[in-house]
Amino acid sequence: MIQDMKSDICLIKKRHKTREIRIKDLTIGGSNIIRIQSMCNIKTAYFKKVLNQIKKLENAGCEIVRVSVKDDDDINGLKKIIKSAELPVVADIHFDYKLALKSVEAGVSKLRINPGNITDKWKIKEIVSAAKNNDVPIRIGVNLGSLEKSLLQKLEAGKISVENAMLESALSETAYLEELDFKNIVVSLKTSDVLSTVKSYMLFSKKRNYPLHIGITETGTLRCGLIKSSIGLSQILSYGLGDTIRVSLSADPVEEVYAAYKILGALNLRKDTPDLIACPTCGRTEINLIKIAGEVEKILFNVRKPIKVAVMGCAVNGPGEARDADIGITGGKGVGLLFKKGKIVKKVKESEILGVLKKELDAMIK
Amino acid sequence: MIQDMKSDICLIKKRHKTREIRIKDLTIGGSNIIRIQSMCNIKTAYFKKVLNQIKKLENAGCEIVRVSVKDDDDINGLKKIIKSAELPVVADIHFDYKLALKSVEAGVSKLRINPGNITDKWKIKEIVSAAKNNDVPIRIGVNLGSLEKSLLQKLEAGKISVENAMLESALSETAYLEELDFKNIVVSLKTSDVLSTVKSYMLFSKKRNYPLHIGITETGTLRCGLIKSSIGLSQILSYGLGDTIRVSLSADPVEEVYAAYKILGALNLRKDTPDLIACPTCGRTEINLIKIAGEVEKILFNVRKPIKVAVMGCAVNGPGEARDADIGITGGKGVGLLFKKGKIVKKVKESEILGVLKKELDAMIK
């Protein structure tokens, strides 16, 4: 009841209307759900390991997966991966346009090219021609770290702002693809600076309506990365922008998928993720709440239902404070309590409370 | 150079003008820097352990520390803590108004009371009288989980929105304190729902100009908590709100301080924190980047300087991609490179690169 109440303040702007683009069986853009993607961090040539990682990502809820294609060994791996993977596979291409052509031939679902890394127009033209003939969309993935040389020089001379340099790179590449009558385009404009990235997406969205792949790049470790990505992506999403999301972390890619769900969930932009409520511990806490909350998080890791679960440190106030949780546990001095919607439904030994919760959750999920 | 460039888009609204409030040697509110606080999670009676935790928090950059006061044993602990701690100590009071009086007597720097937990007006009056006589500010800490019964009933009957219930609780308590001619007030309005919390702060700031203690409560484990806190706090801060910040996590309180710096740093609201850039690993990475980035994060954990440090996976592109970093490392196949502002300055064995970085950082910090 409580969480459905609304005031008239609107924190999330109306979604920016973008074109629809097909990636294998998925459609992104328009009013379609914001899709979650990640990237494998194993060399694509090692296709068995990569497929194993893709399976894990899929279990975590990943919907599009990207692999880097760096040489012909990777192309061989890519072929095998595309044959076996359920998820749409995106090939990440830098420098060598021939690898893009070979990736299309291998049956890839989408290409990512970096405008700063393939600059000869005739090479782009060949890529576009292959993509067009095979109905493969292209992401123009602008990255501050690898802008075209001319833009970098302007940047370093202080003649252009970061966000305008990003915009210019994205616009000149889209303009060239449009010249070639190709509009099967997705665009990203990533920097490692949170605010510059938000501004770059805002500027581009005023100029074109291609679907946006959103992300903050090079955000660092799990901690730093979660913080910068959560801030930047929530800002971008609040402006109504974003059709597919990647949280870039220097961590296991599964963490990227988990974080993406949590970010979209906190903004009510996806409902298929549980919400875990846990009180910050304080001097009144009498159980090992940090450990128990961690265990509950593990149980919920791959769950794709909108269940609200609470872990409270205080048996007296806990159930009441978490009264809008579908299910919750609390404990203290040897006793574990299971509660639903604020009402205590079971009292067990503290040591048994996690097992009881798991059983109840399994039943709720089925 | 790059990071100083600006466009005319303004993502952070002008700061809401609040009253200035003194907490020991600190002034919060007005145009003062946003102060970072945390809360001990050890029973206050165990003062030696608590003092040890406070020292750790202080080393991490914590500027105000709160402890829970639940009984007379805690009052005894509190007295000893106040005597030894350098940081301003805030007493967190629930239910028993006498503990507030005793905390003031013990010399506490600030009180936190929860309007839903002490409802008799004469008790509040006694607390206010003690606070006034000793020049101790009071935080009115509204929490959705423990609203006044009448408001909870309206909420559950669907007659009021969460944010308006929060607002009503905060306003009725501030109005009563104002009636008692007491304005030495800080206010917080915390819920575990990100968007409701943002709205609550927005609504309150339109009605009163007391300094705001901001936070999202019961956000869960480190991962979930960092995500929800980063989203909610960055939204609140973007609206120009917030004079002191607490990131609530079900984790070591030191993590709360670290996260607060990172959030304020990403929004350029505090400069005294390093920025760690690390590329997300990909199939092209040839070093154990996740591990190395983690080590660098440890080195930087307590550093309070605005240094930009990069850890890049790719020796060819890394230094260029992280050209706006003050210092960075990259490596691959046995070689470690140290670079500054995009230029390689040293080539060492890969195994030595962390040691070299640490030495350079130590020199930069001094």
Side-chain angles (χ1 to χ4, degrees), chain B residues 25-50:
Chain B
D25 305 326
L26 290 181
T27 306
I28 64 161
S31 56
N32 291 287
I33 200 166
I34 298 167
R35 292 295 177 180
I36 290 169
Q37 56 176 290
S38 183
M39 185 168 183
C40 292
N41 61 357
I42 298 163
K43 188 165 169 56
T44 305
Y46 307 139
F47 62 92
K48 279 186 192 163
K49 281 190 188 169
V50 173

Side-chain angles (χ1 to χ4, degrees), chain A residues 278-281, chain B residues 37-39 66 143 190-191 213-222 224-226 228-229 233 245-253 255-257 259-260 263:
Chain A
C279 63
T281 57
Chain B
Q37 56 176 290
S38 183
M39 185 168 183
R66 183 158 45 118
N143 193 310
K190 299 188 190 177
T191 87
H213 162 123
I214 61 173
I216 315 293
T217 194
E218 292 156 8
T219 56
T221 56
L222 185 62
C224 294
L226 289 178
K228 284 193 236 175
S229 295
L233 290 168
I245 178 174
R246 183 202 174 190
V247 178
S248 299
L249 299 172
S250 305
D252 185 334
E255 297 280 359
E256 302 186 343
V257 176
I263 292 170

Side-chain angles (χ1 to χ4, degrees), chain B residues 79-198:
Chain B
K79 286 179 192 163
K80 303 221 164 79
I81 291 163
I82 290 168
K83 253 181 219 151
S84 301
E86 303 261 340
L87 294 183
V89 177
V90 183
D92 199 59
I93 311 290
H94 291 258
F95 305 109
D96 187 352
Y97 81 105
K98 282 188 189 152
L99 293 171
L101 304 182
K102 290 174 188 171
S103 297
V104 171
E105 211 184 300
V108 89
S109 300
K110 185 176 156 208
L111 283 177
R112 181 264 168 131
I113 59 171
N114 181 330
N117 286 345
I118 303 176
T119 47
D120 294 328
K121 286 207 166 180
W122 65 270
K123 292 179 181 169
I124 303 282
K125 197 172 172 178
E126 286 211 34
I127 297 173
V128 167
S129 161
K132 203 193 284 183
N133 292 336
N134 292 276
D135 204 22
V136 171
I138 295 177
R139 167 158 69 100
I140 298 171
V142 180
N143 193 310
L144 178 61
S146 47
L147 282 179
E148 298 90 317
K149 266 206 183 116
S150 58
L151 282 171
L152 271 180
Q153 280 161 358
K154 276 166 91 175
L155 247 184
E156 281 173 7
K159 287 181 182 159
I160 193 169
S161 67
V162 168
E163 46 273 22
N164 278 315
M166 298 292 288
L167 174 67
E168 205 170 307
S169 175
L171 279 183
S172 75
E173 192 83 347
T174 48
Y176 185 55
L177 266 55
E178 287 159 357
E179 229 176 78
L180 300 170
D181 196 28
F182 186 85
K183 293 191 170 181
N184 202 5
I185 297 171
V186 178
V187 174
S188 65
L189 307 100
K190 299 188 190 177
T191 87
S192 63
D193 180 73
V194 170
L195 298 179
S196 304
T197 309
V198 180

Side-chain angles (χ1 to χ4, degrees), chain A residues 114-145:
Chain A
N114 181 331
N117 286 344
I118 303 176
T119 46
D120 294 328
K121 286 206 166 180
W122 65 271
K123 291 179 182 169
I124 302 283
K125 196 172 174 179
E126 286 212 35
I127 297 174
V128 168
S129 161
K132 202 192 284 184
N133 292 337
N134 293 276
D135 203 21
V136 171
I138 296 177
R139 167 156 71 98
I140 297 171
V142 180
N143 194 311
L144 179 61

